Amino acid sequence: MARAPVSIDVGSDGVAVIKISNPPVNALAPPVIAGLKATYDEAMRRDDVKAIVIIGDGGKFSGGFDINVFQQVHKTGDLSLLPSVSVELMVNTIEDAKKPSVAAVQGLALGGGLELAMACHARIATRQTQLGLPELTLGVIPGFGGTQRLPRLVGISKAVDMMLLSKSITSSEGKELGLIDAVVSSEELLGFSKRWALDIAERHKPWLSSLRRTDKLGSLSEARQILKAARDRARQTAPNMPQHQACLDAVEEGVAFGGYAGVLKEEKLFNQLVLSPTSKGLVHVFLAQRATSKVPKITDIGLRPRHIKKAAVIGGGLMGSGIATALILGNIFVILKEVNSNYLERGMKMISANLQGLVTKRKLTQDKADKAFSLLKGVLDYSEFKDVDMVIEAVIEKVSLKQSIFGEIEKACPAHCILATNTSTIDLRIVGEKTSSQDRIVGAHFFSPAHVMPLLEVVRTEKTSSQVILDLMTIGKVIKKVPVVVGNCTGFAVNRTFFPYTQGAMMLLHLGVDVFRIDRVISSFGMPMGPFQLQDLAGYGVALAVGAEFSSAFPGRTFSSPLVQLLVESGRNGKSNGRGYYLYEKGSKPKPDTTVQSIVEESRRRVNIMPGGKPITVSDQEILEMVLFPVVNEACRVLDEEIVVRASDLDIASVLGMSFPSYRGGLVFWGDSIGASHIYTCLKKWADLYGSFYRPSKYLEERAKKGLPLSATTTSQGSRSRL
């Protein structure tokens, strides 16, 4: 018989210990909410209960409300699936009960977990317990009274900071702020909490209701000043996310009209937000990231990941130094190989600079940076490769060089060693075709800068062993990346899907649309920068090399122009030399360089695609669609060829690899929110007007005509599977 998710145990001291048992993080699923209500009702009825302690099983208090319920609400639109918690449980059952409650908090109390603790009359926590309200990352606001109780316990400024930035704090900081009443060891937690609860019941300690406190709120005018500043910041940093302003609305309501009025306002806003496109998108991305850990015939066949103690990185340039940095930060010993001492010294300095950059940003302590650097050794030959568990090749994109290196490392490394390449475009079968170890060859495609960007594409061929794939996925998690398993093709999943992004922008520019207007539209949509500023940042050499690669791989569906070459010939190379489409000066934001217009005009003259020689007239929405619909179209081809395991893998890859706005749910999810029919109709129209670059894929056409979502699979799929 399954154990109840909430149990009650009444001791001889008169304290009822209510325990939440819903592994792995004691999420507040509807059965847990119902169990809390039932056990509280029992505790209130029983004459032998004087006070209550709530604790979580398994060393964790609670990770918050069960996010799977949000997904069900999104699918059905049925708000009744959300249990009644805010007033019925938190206020009526716990906070206003005739017997006091103490939260015995350990491990973590996040979201609804912290809100539950704040509804209690005191909070005792173990050291290093994590406390926070991260609900805004899911497109909603705290919904169990958090917008009211947190400001009353820690002050408005700190509470707003924690909620709007989804910033957690430790129990030690919580004690300083007044969120936590005492910090004790794990062994002391339960006994100490029980004594505290009895002291409240016997009036030896104050019986405090968080919702009714006002001592930390300050005056209404002071509060409104703080909230106004927070609103202005949120408009700048999160212009497309309504939950930030709603959170501040709820806080302000409570300050102006009292905690109970604030709770009612919070509940109303929460119910509106949970059905918003923003919440649907963010919840989808959250669950999509979880799903990447499950790969059929890899993670479900009983394999155990091998421990990687020592790795080697070949090439200490921008990518190689970033990869080495990520590995040593993950406590993996790294051998960095270069061809000569000058290159090696440069690579070691770049790694040191990467670590110091993290120290400067306060993301790493100096001690940890020093420890990480001690795990690095530079070499000029393969003598140290005899006991490495993995090699990652990160040299320039030159087939003959990579083939030569793989021939050498096959001989130098032990038979179990993973042979990985960081190539972003070259077919893995070509890289390893001269070896006899093709079952060990895998792509470890990092994104630049490799020690910062969170995505790792794990690229497999038909011959890559399941063990190697599982091992690389595990390494990815150790170094705090999100590994997404993808198939082998030009550009793999992310670069393949997004090659039409810049090309679509180039097409628009050559049809007469202003370069800076295109960038503004794409930035307003939520990309961190427009395609032309991105080109400046990446450098024009990359644009030329990648453009040629995709033109060769996908003839008939690319758009090319001489513009980048003309920019190079004019002495521009983007951010690296301070001049591109924009001007770059140290300490200043990039400024549009209007003198680039003459180069643009020359490129337009050479390409000559403007209808009747006149610029086209388009709305901002059409600009957005003409840039992004070709990307969705290529995503359809990637899905058709089964380059990814599931559509949501492409969503999370687009968010983490290309910074597609997470609140739009990722590329395919966004495409589905628009509808295959509209995308297909637009692309077909543009293909007739402007050529084959816009031609809809068969996959998109099929879904448009059948009224299916892009993420749907069909029985005809799979004939060209790369997985």
Side-chain angles (χ1 to χ4, degrees):
M1 186 173 173
R3 185 171 59 172
V6 182
S7 61
I8 182 170
D9 179 39
V10 181
S12 58
D13 56 3
V15 179
V17 177
I18 293 177
K19 183 180 285 186
I20 303 169
S21 303
N22 186 23
V25 295
N26 295 326
L28 301 178
V32 175
I33 303 292
L36 284 168
K37 183 77 170 62
T39 50
Y40 257 88
D41 288 347
E42 180 183 340
M44 293 306 121
R45 288 194 307 268
R46 290 178 61 160
D47 294 335
D48 59 341
V49 174
K50 300 176 185 176
I52 297 159
V53 168
I54 308 179
I55 195 166
D57 200 6
K60 296 180 178 69
F61 186 71
S62 173
F65 187 61
D66 184 358
I67 197 170
N68 293 299
V69 179
F70 287 159
Q71 191 180 41
Q72 293 166 21
V73 172
H74 293 160
K75 284 179 180 176
T76 61
D78 184 2
L79 285 171
S80 70
L81 294 170
L82 295 169
S84 180
V85 177
S86 189
V87 174
E88 187 179 330
L89 178 64
M90 299 298 183
V91 178
N92 296 345
T93 301
I94 298 176
E95 195 163 36
D96 287 355
K98 61 186 179 182
K99 298 173 186 179
S101 298
V102 170
V105 183
Q106 55 189 331
L108 51 80
L110 299 173
L114 181 57
E115 291 178 286
L116 173 61
M118 290 191 294
C120 294
H121 303 99
R123 288 150 294 285
I124 313 301
T126 56
R127 298 178 184 92
Q128 298 307 309
T129 292
Q130 201 180 355
L131 311 165
L133 295 179
E135 284 90 344
L136 272 71
T137 62
L138 298 174
V140 293
I141 61 175
F144 297 168
T147 64
Q148 305 308 307
R149 293 188 180 89
L150 190 63
R152 284 165 169 76
L153 288 168
V154 304
I156 294 176
S157 186
K158 183 63 181 180
V160 164
D161 186 49
M162 286 177 66
M163 290 186 287
L164 264 57
L165 299 177
S166 295
K167 198 159 113 183
S168 61
I169 60 173
T170 64
S171 46
S172 300
E173 188 178 352
K175 172 75 168 64
E176 290 174 16
L177 292 166
L179 178 59
I180 298 297
D181 293 282
V183 177
V184 298
S185 68
S186 299
E187 294 76 21
E188 296 175 290
L189 179 64
L190 184 56
F192 195 95
S193 300
K194 289 169 77 172
R195 288 194 298 276
W196 197 292
L198 284 171
D199 281 347
I200 296 174
E202 293 163 3
R203 306 291 175 170
H204 300 311
K205 288 189 185 296
W207 190 323
L208 298 172
S209 165
S210 303
L211 196 60
R212 289 167 179 81
R213 288 182 61 174
T214 58
D215 54 299
K216 292 191 177 180
L217 294 181
S219 69
L220 183 56
S221 62
E222 288 171 336
R224 282 182 166 152
Q225 269 189 319
I226 295 169
L227 294 172
K228 182 183 181 303
R231 287 186 193 283
D232 292 341
R233 284 195 304 272
R235 287 189 190 100
Q236 292 291 318
T237 58
N240 296 325
M241 291 193 268
Q243 68 270 32
H244 291 69
Q245 300 298 333
C247 182
L248 296 168
D249 288 345
V251 173
E252 187 164 357
E253 180 82 5
V255 175
F257 302 107
Y260 191 74
V263 164
L264 296 178
K265 176 80 168 182
E266 175 194 271
E267 187 173 39
K268 180 182 176 183
L269 291 170
F270 180 93
N271 287 341
Q272 291 170 0
L273 289 165
V274 79
L275 290 174
S276 69
T278 305
S279 179
K280 291 175 182 177
L282 288 168
V283 168
H284 174 75
V285 165
F286 181 91
L287 295 172
Q289 183 165 329
R290 276 189 185 175
T292 59
S293 295
K294 297 176 182 176
V295 183
K297 299 181 183 175
I298 303 293
T299 59
D300 57 358
I301 57 175
L303 290 175
R304 290 180 175 274
R306 296 173 295 186
H307 183 50
I308 305 298
K309 297 178 185 175
K310 187 176 180 181
V313 176
I314 300 176
L318 182 65
M319 286 305 301
S321 61
I323 293 167
T325 305
L327 291 169
I328 59 177
L329 285 170
N331 206 33
I332 297 171
F333 191 88
V334 172
I335 301 295
L336 179 70
K337 182 188 178 297
E338 261 296 2
V339 293
N340 63 49
S341 56
N342 288 337
Y343 283 171
L344 182 59
E345 184 181 0
R346 185 186 67 177
M348 299 287 278
K349 283 182 177 176
M350 288 173 75
I351 294 165
S352 177
N354 288 341
L355 295 170
Q356 287 308 310
L358 294 172
V359 172
T360 301
K361 293 174 183 174
R362 298 185 178 179
K363 294 182 178 179
L364 192 68
T365 65
Q366 188 62 55
D367 285 349
K368 287 183 178 177
D370 293 341
K371 184 188 174 188
F373 197 71
S374 74
L375 297 173
L376 180 68
K377 182 176 182 180
V379 301
L380 298 173
D381 58 36
Y382 291 111
S383 58
E384 296 271 356
F385 281 50
K386 59 184 179 297
D387 60 347
V388 296
D389 302 305
M390 175 179 70
V391 178
I392 301 178
E393 166 272 309
V395 302
I396 59 172
E397 296 286 79
K398 187 176 178 184
V399 171
S400 59
L401 177 59
K402 290 180 185 288
Q403 288 181 333
S404 171
I405 287 170
F406 270 78
E408 291 166 351
I409 59 177
E410 183 183 29
K411 296 171 188 170
C413 300
H416 73 274
C417 180
I418 297 168
L419 308 178
T421 174
N422 180 58
T423 182
S424 58
T425 50
I426 301 172
D427 190 319
L428 265 62
R429 291 168 297 190
I430 297 171
V431 171
E433 70 181 4
K434 295 184 179 178
T435 72
S436 56
S437 305
Q438 293 185 24
D439 61 327
R440 291 192 279 148
I441 292 176
V442 66
H445 182 217
F446 291 79
F447 291 74
S448 185
H451 64 294
V452 175
M453 291 292 281
L455 181 65
L456 171 62
E457 282 186 310
V458 177
V459 189
R460 58 177 169 178
T461 70
E462 297 88 343
K463 295 182 179 178
T464 309
S465 79
S466 297
Q467 183 68 58
V468 164
I469 295 162
L470 180 66
D471 290 344
L472 188 51
M473 288 176 67
T474 305
I475 294 161
K477 291 173 185 174
V478 166
I479 62 175
K480 298 180 180 176
K481 305 297 179 193
V482 177
V484 176
V485 176
V486 302
N488 180 38
C489 67
T490 299
F492 314 131
V494 176
N495 288 348
R496 157 81 182 273
T497 298
F498 275 85
F499 85 80
Y501 175 65
T502 303
Q503 294 190 0
M506 281 285 190
M507 172 75 85
L508 270 174
L509 180 145
H510 285 83
L511 287 169
V513 183
D514 177 63
V515 57
F516 304 115
R517 183 186 175 200
I518 295 167
D519 270 5
R520 283 196 302 272
V521 168
I522 299 301
S523 296
S524 297
F525 172 76
M527 298 295 280
M529 63 186 73
F532 295 105
Q533 191 181 344
L534 180 63
Q535 206 173 73
D536 272 358
L537 184 65
Y540 299 153
V542 172
L544 291 169
V546 170
E549 190 75 33
F550 285 115
S551 294
S552 172
F554 308 118
R557 63 175 203 255
T558 60
F559 174 76
S560 58
S561 83
L563 179 56
V564 176
Q565 187 60 48
L566 290 171
L567 290 167
V568 173
E569 290 170 6
S570 74
R572 298 168 191 256
N573 196 32
K575 189 177 181 181
S576 65
N577 74 347
R579 289 193 73 198
Y581 301 99
Y582 295 80
L583 293 173
Y584 299 86
E585 294 175 5
K586 197 169 184 180
S588 301
K589 290 182 178 179
K591 297 174 185 173
D593 184 0
T594 53
T595 66
V596 81
Q597 192 60 34
S598 61
I599 304 171
V600 170
E601 291 297 344
E602 173 59 19
S603 188
R604 283 173 178 164
R605 187 188 64 76
R606 293 189 190 185
V607 173
N608 191 27
I609 60 166
M610 282 191 277
K614 294 182 179 180
I616 63 170
T617 301
V618 283
S619 66
D620 285 356
Q621 184 63 30
E622 286 170 314
I623 290 173
L624 180 71
E625 293 178 349
M626 290 180 80
V627 172
L628 288 180
F629 283 4
V631 182
V632 175
N633 196 32
E634 195 60 34
C636 288
R637 295 188 179 100
V638 166
L639 294 173
D640 192 26
E641 296 171 28
E642 297 184 342
I643 299 300
V644 289
V645 175
R646 55 186 77 78
S648 65
D649 284 0
L650 197 49
D651 283 327
I652 196 67
S654 71
V655 168
L656 300 181
M658 282 301 295
S659 299
F660 193 87
S662 57
Y663 53 84
R664 299 196 188 275
L667 183 68
V668 182
F669 185 91
W670 177 71
D672 273 336
S673 73
I674 292 163
S677 178
H678 176 65
I679 298 171
Y680 171 76
T681 301
C682 288
L683 287 170
K684 194 167 184 306
K685 176 183 73 177
W686 299 330
D688 292 340
L689 289 170
Y690 309 122
S692 60
F693 173 75
Y694 286 111
R695 185 178 298 127
S697 65
K698 292 291 183 186
Y699 182 101
L700 175 61
E701 181 179 6
E702 181 182 19
R703 274 140 192 81
K705 290 182 176 177
K706 292 183 177 179
L708 293 170
L710 302 174
S711 52
T713 56
T714 66
T715 53
S716 63
Q717 235 182 299
S719 58
R720 296 191 302 280
S721 172
R722 303 297 181 93
L723 296 178

